[in-house]
Amino acid sequence: MTKSLTLSDVLGLGFMTFAFYLGAGNIIFPPLAGFLAGEHLTLAMLGFLVTAVGLPLITIIAVAKAGDGWAGMTKLLPAGIATALAVAIYIIIGPAFAAPRTGLVAYEMGLKPFLGDMGQAGLAAYTVVFFGLAILVSMNQGKLMDAIGKILTPLLIVLLLVLAVGVFIAPQGTMPASSGDYQSSPFVKGILEGYNTMDTLASLMFGALIVDLLRQKGIHDYQSQFKYLAIAGIISAIGLSVVYVSLFQLGNTAAGVASDVSNGGAIVNAYVLSLFGQPGQYILAAIITLACFTTAVGLISACSDFFHNLTGMTYQKLVVLLGVVCAIVANVGLSQLISLSIPVLVAIYPVAVALVLVTFLKGYFGRPRQVFRAVLMVAFLFGCLDGLGAAGLKMNTFAFLPLFDKGLAWLLPTLLACGIGMALRLCPTVKAEAIKQ
């Protein structure tokens, strides 16, 4: 008999997925984009939603479509390459960069404004407490949905709704004039800014984690897993869209309120102080801390689950190990960690997007195994060029490539490789081989 989830469990699953995505970066980027977009707010916001909401949702659905999580998505790759790619993604989005960053941002925006700079010792103490609590919540994977989806996330949603209502009912400033690339190409600029959330990479992790959680709830058949994973993705996409629209509006009415517009965090801080006064600072600190904490739990849990299946080490031991590593790495400092992560993320992100693309298209390819591998190789090679450029190396030799100056040199070659793969299906020789098989 096929089991089904209760409405409470379905909502808990969706809220948990939403909370895993909603890190501090998701709260910081939209206000700055809204401020810089000025009168082109709508186009910039739509572009941002394409890559910050649309791509992660499509990725979650791709994980569901492939079945069996990561193994289902990469079954046409050599086992060694699939494992190496998975390890790279999990390390990058987990203990190397994204997870430690949650603790750093929570410290910078949730504690530092009240207590000031406490130096390296203060940061070390905070990261020990922050990741210690994340370890405790992540330890029992079976109760993860209840802890995150039914307890922490509703509280986070309430805090965000308070801020969103305030932004729309009582805007504190005026609309700034558009600037930079938002003047000439706001939609494209919004798309590029949406990449900063890096949630497509996270979707590959969270999708596999949610499949495992569904199995623990007794959901083993493909159709039910697909249904519940898609529902979770849709719930999280709706929640993220509401948050992003509110924060874009916040930034777009911040002229005259925020004197420091160097980053979205400064804009949000100034706006909240103007809107709610000193109590608002506590609300903001709670939002940032909860958002960072739930994301840290999601990342640690997903990485631990993956490495448990890979190495056989117990899930609980891996939670402790990865949590400790995150606390250590976080003490590098926020600016240094971000500067180190950008080139790596720029290089690996195209591979993740290409993997999602071929997951949907592989049924239309001639010689799907070869085309699948070729598309990912093209995305990887051109992504490395973008990564080297993001690292500050002189790459003038490749300046002729379309979209190279945008950091998207990989996009057209990857689409071309997919097109060639689909054209191969029309080749008579390939058709004959397919019939023989």
Side-chain angles (χ1 to χ4, degrees):
M1 178 178 172
T2 301
K3 289 189 177 181
S4 60
L5 297 182
T6 65
L7 177 60
S8 175
D9 282 338
V10 171
L11 292 176
L13 184 68
F15 289 159
M16 180 192 71
T17 308
F18 166 73
F20 282 171
Y21 281 122
L22 190 66
N26 307 77
I27 295 175
I28 290 173
F29 294 128
L32 180 60
F35 186 92
L36 297 177
E39 64 273 19
H40 301 300
L41 170 70
T42 301
L43 285 175
M45 185 165 58
L46 288 175
F48 188 92
L49 292 176
V50 166
T51 46
V53 177
L55 270 181
L57 175 59
I58 291 171
T59 302
I60 279 282
I61 294 175
V63 173
K65 181 180 185 298
D68 200 25
W70 178 263
M73 293 190 74
T74 58
K75 63 183 178 183
L76 295 183
L77 291 176
I81 292 178
T83 300
L85 177 59
V87 169
I89 291 176
Y90 275 83
I91 289 177
I92 289 169
I93 203 73
F97 298 120
R101 188 177 65 182
T102 62
L104 278 167
V105 175
Y107 171 75
E108 293 286 339
M109 295 190 67
L111 185 67
K112 201 172 176 180
F114 305 102
L115 300 181
D117 190 351
M118 297 183 293
Q120 190 63 41
L123 174 61
Y126 183 85
T127 52
V128 167
V129 174
F130 182 91
F131 287 107
L133 291 173
I135 288 172
L136 291 176
V137 175
S138 304
M139 190 63 70
N140 193 328
Q141 192 180 23
K143 295 182 179 178
L144 194 60
M145 185 190 302
D146 295 330
I148 300 298
K150 297 180 180 178
I151 300 174
L152 291 179
T153 307
L155 179 58
L156 176 59
I157 290 173
V158 169
L159 294 174
L160 287 170
L161 286 176
V162 170
L163 178 60
V165 170
V167 167
F168 283 99
I169 291 181
Q172 297 298 292
T174 57
M175 179 187 293
S178 60
S179 58
D181 292 337
Y182 286 103
Q183 292 178 316
S184 57
S185 52
F187 182 73
V188 174
K189 179 62 175 175
I191 286 177
L192 297 174
E193 286 300 309
Y195 282 120
N196 287 328
T197 65
M198 294 298 169
D199 280 342
T200 296
L201 287 179
S203 289
L204 294 172
M205 299 172 56
F206 295 155
L209 174 64
I210 294 170
V211 168
D212 286 340
L213 291 175
L214 287 172
R215 287 172 179 161
Q216 292 179 25
K217 292 284 186 179
I219 309 298
H220 297 286
D221 64 291
Y222 170 79
Q223 293 295 335
S224 296
Q225 288 182 358
F226 181 91
K227 178 180 72 173
Y228 290 126
L229 197 54
I231 291 173
I234 291 170
I235 291 174
S236 64
I238 293 171
L240 287 172
S241 297
V242 171
V243 172
Y244 291 149
V245 169
S246 302
L247 292 176
F248 260 89
Q249 181 67 21
L250 182 152
N252 201 242
T253 56
V257 176
S259 56
D260 178 9
V261 294
S262 59
N263 61 76
I267 294 174
V268 174
N269 267 314
Y271 204 98
V272 168
L273 182 61
S274 176
L275 182 60
F276 298 110
Q278 188 62 39
Q281 295 290 300
Y282 295 105
I283 294 176
L284 178 63
I287 291 173
I288 294 296
T289 303
L290 275 177
C292 289
F293 183 75
T294 53
T295 301
V297 170
L299 293 172
I300 291 172
S301 299
C303 289
S304 299
D305 186 69
F306 169 76
F307 286 110
H308 162 67
N309 293 326
L310 181 66
T311 67
M313 186 183 296
T314 66
Y315 173 84
Q316 287 75 16
K317 288 182 179 178
L318 282 164
V319 166
V320 174
L321 175 62
L322 293 176
V324 170
V325 171
C326 289
I328 294 172
V329 173
N331 282 271
V332 170
L334 184 58
S335 299
Q336 292 86 344
L337 190 63
I338 290 176
S339 64
L340 288 171
S341 67
I342 288 175
V344 179
L345 291 170
V346 168
I348 199 70
Y349 204 81
V351 181
V353 177
L355 180 60
V356 173
L357 186 61
V358 294
T359 297
F360 283 107
L361 294 179
K362 63 185 177 184
Y364 300 95
F365 292 149
R367 296 178 177 169
R369 185 177 299 274
Q370 290 83 353
V371 173
F372 195 98
R373 299 177 182 186
V375 171
L376 292 186
M377 180 60 69
V378 168
F380 174 71
L381 293 176
F382 282 89
C384 285
L385 294 180
D386 288 327
L388 292 172
L393 298 181
K394 291 185 178 180
M395 306 291 290
N396 296 335
T397 306
F398 302 97
F400 69 93
L401 292 172
L403 301 178
F404 181 78
D405 59 327
K406 302 289 189 182
L408 294 172
W410 62 274
L411 181 58
L412 293 182
T414 302
L415 292 176
L416 178 61
C418 287
I420 293 173
M422 295 172 73
L424 280 176
R425 197 179 185 192
L426 303 176
C427 176
T429 305
V430 175
K431 278 186 175 182
E433 290 178 358
I435 292 173
K436 289 179 182 179
Q437 294 175 357

